[in-house]
Structures are given as C-alpha cells and as structure tokens.
C-alpha cells in the first residue's frame, strides 16, 4: 500500500513538472499503471503482476499456435499486428526507482496485451467480413495500369497518404499528387500533417536538428517552394522513449511499435488533426504516414476515427499480399505491380481498408 501511495505522489509531482501540452505519451504510461494497480487491488495481495502476465502470455502462445494453422496469407497478416509482449521480470533487489520502472513496464505489457488481443478479435471479424463480401467487391473493383494517381473527391477534407517506409518512389508519387491537387484546386488551402516531423506547429522549413527525418528534406523543401505549409504529428516524448519490449515470438519491438505505442501515438495524432481542422476549417489536410497508421482496418486506425464522408485513404505498397487485409484475404489476386486499385462504389473503402491503392512496379529504390 505504501508503495502504491508513493507512486501516486510521484505521478502528481511529475504531472505538475511537465508542460501542459505534449505529454499524452507520459500520461498513457501512468494511466496504465493506475489501471493495473486498481486491477491488483481487486485480487489477492499475494498475486504478483508478473504471475498474471506469465499466465496470459501462455494463453497467447496457445492462440498463436492455433492461428498459425491458418493459410500463409492469414497468418502473415495477423502476425504484423499481433505484437503480444512477454512480461518484464524484476531481478534481484531493486531500489525504489528501479522498482517503479519495472512496474511501469509491466503495466505497459499488461495494457498492450489486453488491447492487442481485443484488436486481433476485431481483425478476425473484419477478415471474415471481407471474405464474405469479396464476390460483390470484385464487381466494383477498378484496376488500371495506365495511371498511378487516383482522383480525390471534392468531399475529402482529410486525404491520408499511406506508405511503406524507405521508398523514394513513394515520396515522389505523393508529392506529385499533392501538387496536382493544388493545381486543380487553386482556391483551396492545403496543409500537410505528417508522421515525419515532430509536433512544433506549421512550418515551411524542415527542422534541421531532427536527423531521423533527414530523408524527407527534399520532400518538405518542394512543398515549401509551392507555399504548402506542413506540421508534424509525432509527439516528442514518444520519440524519446528508448524502451524495448520482447514479443512472445522473440522479436524485439521499440515501445513506439508495440500495440500500446501505436494506440497512444495514433490517439495523439487524431487529437492534433482535429485541433488543426478547428483552427483552419476551410483547409484540406493531407496526412502522410505509414500504412500501419492510416489504413481504415488497422488497429487504432487514425483515418477510421474521423468522419467517414470526409476521409480518403490512398495506400502505396511494394508487396501488399501479406501486409494489407484486402490483399491478404484475396490471397494477392489483385496485387499486381504497377496496378492502381479504386472502387466504383465508395462503400467498399472502409471495408477494404483503402479508397485507392497503388502497388509499386518492381525495381530498386
């Protein structure tokens, strides 16, 4: 009990010490701890959190083995998003701050595993729905090899550009799309919001001190040349978190790439997108990030949390068969290099995960 009281005191002091804005990531860490403490208070005092996590990890392993009996498309897609973590063990006698760190990490693992398992259930439901509706969807699917850019509907206020990281061709494609839209809509204000800058307000110049974003300097310089402002979505506190977690499959995940990390980051992005939209109600926002954030069907989707009639998702992939729910469910039958996929009936966008998708032609970046 004394330890729990000390934790809450530290929480209050820490919250007062942090700035009022930009601490969603830190608040998420402490919220997870409070939830775990509340859960433990309802159980016998002799039950440690690590014991609970070990039992749940064993159940997750059993489920994982069951899911691995599915076809390779199903199995590979689900493993992309089922990042179930092993518990963090305390070793030896820890001082109070080390003990607090261990409890915070275990609370993160507990929250992550609970939410990831719930997301897995929803993904399975979405998968079954796709397979059931696939015959109807195929009739409304348009496949073109003559163009790479889709037409953006006039109703779209939030245009999501989803990429696989590390592709120079994708940057050029998205830049071409944005500039084409600007040319066709000279009276509209365009603002780019992106994963690839920290949240520091509207700017026309890349932030030079952010070395991990250097690969995007030419992209942002081109936007500035055409008077298109941009703002980052990434919270600095999230980027500074250097924790690593081990999954039940043995893979090592940075905190930002765990299910809980994705959830907190996406929740922050949605909050910031809504704030920008309130400040600039007449603007059209292009949101440039990884497909794992913007696809309608991914866990904690950013696009899925915004009004349906105002969103448009354009996904670009190198090899989508195993990384996109539509292509995985259709076993890659429509994932031809150089193909642009769109829908005659817009209702299929939210169900498939995209309003338009482009599969990059085969070549080295």
């Amino acid at each position: 009990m004394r330890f729990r009281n000390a934790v809450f005191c530290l929480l209050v002091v820490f919250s007062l010490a942090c700035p009022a804005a930009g601490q969603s990531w830190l608040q998420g860490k402490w919220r997870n701890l409070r939830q775990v403490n509340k859960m433990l208070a309802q159980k016998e005092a002799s039950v440690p959190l690590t014991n609970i996590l070990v039992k749940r990890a064993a159940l997750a392993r059993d489920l994982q083995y069951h899911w691995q009996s599915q076809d390779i498309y199903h199995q590979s897609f689900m493993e992309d998003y089922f990042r179930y973590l092993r518990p963090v063990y305390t070793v030896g006698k820890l001082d109070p701050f080390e003990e607090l760190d261990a409890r915070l990490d275990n609370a993160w693992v507990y929250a992550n595993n609970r939410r990831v398992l719930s997301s897995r259930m929803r993904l399975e439901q979405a998968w079954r729905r796709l397979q059931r509706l696939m015959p109807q969807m195929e009739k409304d699917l348009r496949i073109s090899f003559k163009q790479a850019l889709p037409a953006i509907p006039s109703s779209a206020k939030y245009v999501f550009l989803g990429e696989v990281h590390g592709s120079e061709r994708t940057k050029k494609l998205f830049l071409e799309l944005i500039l084409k839209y600007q040319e066709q809509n000279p009276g509209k204000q365009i603002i780019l919001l992106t994963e690839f800058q920290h949240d520091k307000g509207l700017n026309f110049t890349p932030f030079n001190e952010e070395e991990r974003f250097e690969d995007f300097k030419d992209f942002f310089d081109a936007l500035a040349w055409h008077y298109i402002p941009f703002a980052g979505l990434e919270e600095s506190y999230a980027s500074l978190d250097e924790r690593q977690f081990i999954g039940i499959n043995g893979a090592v995940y940075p905190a930002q790439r765990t299910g809980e990390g994705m959830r907190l980051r996406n929740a922050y992005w949605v909050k910031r997108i809504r704030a920008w939209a309130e400040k600039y109600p007449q603007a059209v926002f292009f949101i440039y990030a990884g497909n794992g954030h913007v696809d309608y069907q991914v866990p904690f989707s950013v696009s899925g949390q915004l009004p349906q009639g105002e969103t448009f998702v354009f996904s670009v992939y190198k090899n989508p068969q195993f990384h996109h729910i539509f292509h995985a469910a259709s076993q890659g039958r429509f994932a031809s290099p150089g193909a642009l996929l769109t829908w005659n009936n817009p209702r299929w966008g939210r169900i498939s995960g995209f309003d338009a998708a482009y599969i990059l032609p085969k070549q080295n970046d």
Side-chain angles (χ1 to χ4, degrees):
M1 181 62 70
R2 279 183 295 180
F3 179 81
R4 191 173 300 134
N5 290 338
V7 166
F8 285 123
C9 289
L10 279 171
L11 172 60
V12 172
V13 172
F14 195 81
S15 298
L16 291 175
C18 290
Q23 53 177 309
S24 296
W25 184 268
L26 299 176
Q27 289 172 347
K29 288 175 63 174
W30 287 102
R31 189 182 305 114
N32 290 339
L33 182 60
R34 292 197 303 271
Q35 291 172 346
V36 161
N37 285 338
K38 183 177 179 180
M39 180 269 295
L40 290 175
Q42 297 171 352
K43 295 181 176 291
E44 295 181 9
S46 60
V47 180
L49 176 58
T50 48
N51 286 5
I52 296 171
L53 290 173
V54 166
K55 290 180 181 179
R56 293 200 171 195
L59 290 173
R61 275 194 299 271
D62 292 341
L63 285 172
Q64 187 79 343
Y65 294 146
H66 166 72
W67 285 321
Q68 285 177 347
S69 65
Q70 305 290 336
D71 67 78
I72 189 172
Y73 294 93
H74 189 171
Q75 174 187 331
S76 297
F77 172 77
M78 293 300 175
E79 284 183 355
D80 265 3
Y81 298 102
F82 188 65
R83 293 168 186 161
Y84 209 87
L85 306 177
R86 293 177 183 173
V88 178
Y89 296 99
T90 57
V91 180
K93 188 175 182 180
L94 303 177
D95 65 43
F97 285 101
E98 289 176 328
E99 177 67 19
L100 178 59
D101 282 343
R103 287 174 69 88
L104 279 166
D105 287 351
N106 273 329
W108 184 281
V109 170
Y110 176 81
N112 178 87
N113 292 351
R114 181 164 53 87
R115 292 188 173 105
V116 165
L117 190 58
S118 175
S119 297
R120 177 69 192 247
M121 297 299 103
R122 287 194 292 271
L123 277 175
E124 292 286 353
Q125 291 173 351
W127 181 282
R128 289 195 292 271
R129 187 185 186 194
L130 262 174
Q131 290 188 316
R132 186 176 71 252
L133 294 173
M134 193 65 70
Q136 300 175 50
M137 297 174 71
E138 289 180 23
K139 296 176 183 177
D140 280 324
L141 180 64
R142 292 198 304 248
I143 303 177
S144 172
F145 291 92
K146 296 181 179 180
Q147 61 188 55
L149 301 177
I152 299 173
S154 59
S155 60
K157 183 176 180 64
Y158 307 101
V159 181
F160 288 88
L161 308 177
E163 71 153 22
V164 174
H165 298 326
S167 169
E168 290 299 321
R169 287 181 292 164
T170 303
K171 295 189 190 76
K172 294 176 182 177
L173 194 67
F174 287 158
L175 181 61
E176 182 183 351
L177 177 67
I178 295 169
L179 297 183
K180 179 181 177 182
Y181 183 87
Q182 183 188 47
E183 181 182 356
Q184 293 174 342
N185 301 273
K188 287 190 176 180
Q189 180 182 19
I190 299 172
I191 297 175
L192 181 94
L193 305 176
T194 180
E195 172 185 5
F196 309 114
Q197 292 278 340
H198 283 140
D199 181 10
K200 293 185 177 180
L202 284 184
N203 208 304
F204 285 97
T205 306
F207 303 115
N208 294 328
E209 73 273 18
E210 296 175 4
E211 294 182 1
R212 74 190 189 96
F213 300 139
E214 281 184 354
D215 291 344
F216 293 85
K217 186 178 185 306
D218 291 343
F219 176 85
F220 292 122
D221 283 346
L223 290 181
W225 183 260
H226 290 87
Y227 302 102
I228 297 175
F230 47 84
L233 290 172
E234 198 71 89
E235 186 182 14
S236 296
Y237 284 109
S239 300
L240 293 172
D241 194 329
E242 297 181 348
R243 292 178 301 163
Q244 304 276 329
F245 293 90
I246 300 176
I248 60 168
N249 59 356
V252 178
Y253 301 113
Q256 297 84 353
R257 288 189 60 237
T258 63
E260 179 64 357
M262 294 287 281
R263 184 189 73 83
L264 288 173
R265 290 169 67 200
N266 288 5
Y268 182 78
W269 294 7
V270 171
K271 181 173 70 174
R272 297 300 293 134
I273 291 169
R274 287 172 174 161
W276 283 118
E278 184 176 352
K279 188 171 183 178
Y280 299 96
Q282 303 305 317
V284 174
F285 295 90
F286 283 77
I287 296 107
Y288 180 15
N291 283 307
H293 298 278
V294 307
D295 185 295
Y296 289 124
Q297 289 291 359
V298 295
F300 321 116
S301 166
V302 176
S303 59
Q305 298 180 59
L306 295 171
Q308 182 168 352
E310 299 179 354
T311 56
F312 185 85
V313 171
F314 177 38
S315 298
V316 174
Y317 278 93
K318 292 181 180 178
N319 180 19
Q321 290 98 316
F322 303 117
H323 305 289
H324 192 288
I325 192 169
F326 173 78
H327 291 293
S330 60
Q331 299 192 346
R333 287 184 291 124
F334 310 107
S336 301
L340 174 67
L341 278 58
T342 54
W343 302 104
N344 288 321
N345 188 335
R347 71 175 288 237
W348 301 126
R350 294 247 165 176
I351 295 171
S352 67
F354 61 86
D355 297 294
Y358 182 65
I359 296 91
L360 290 168
K362 291 182 177 179
Q363 68 180 68
N364 295 324
D365 271 315

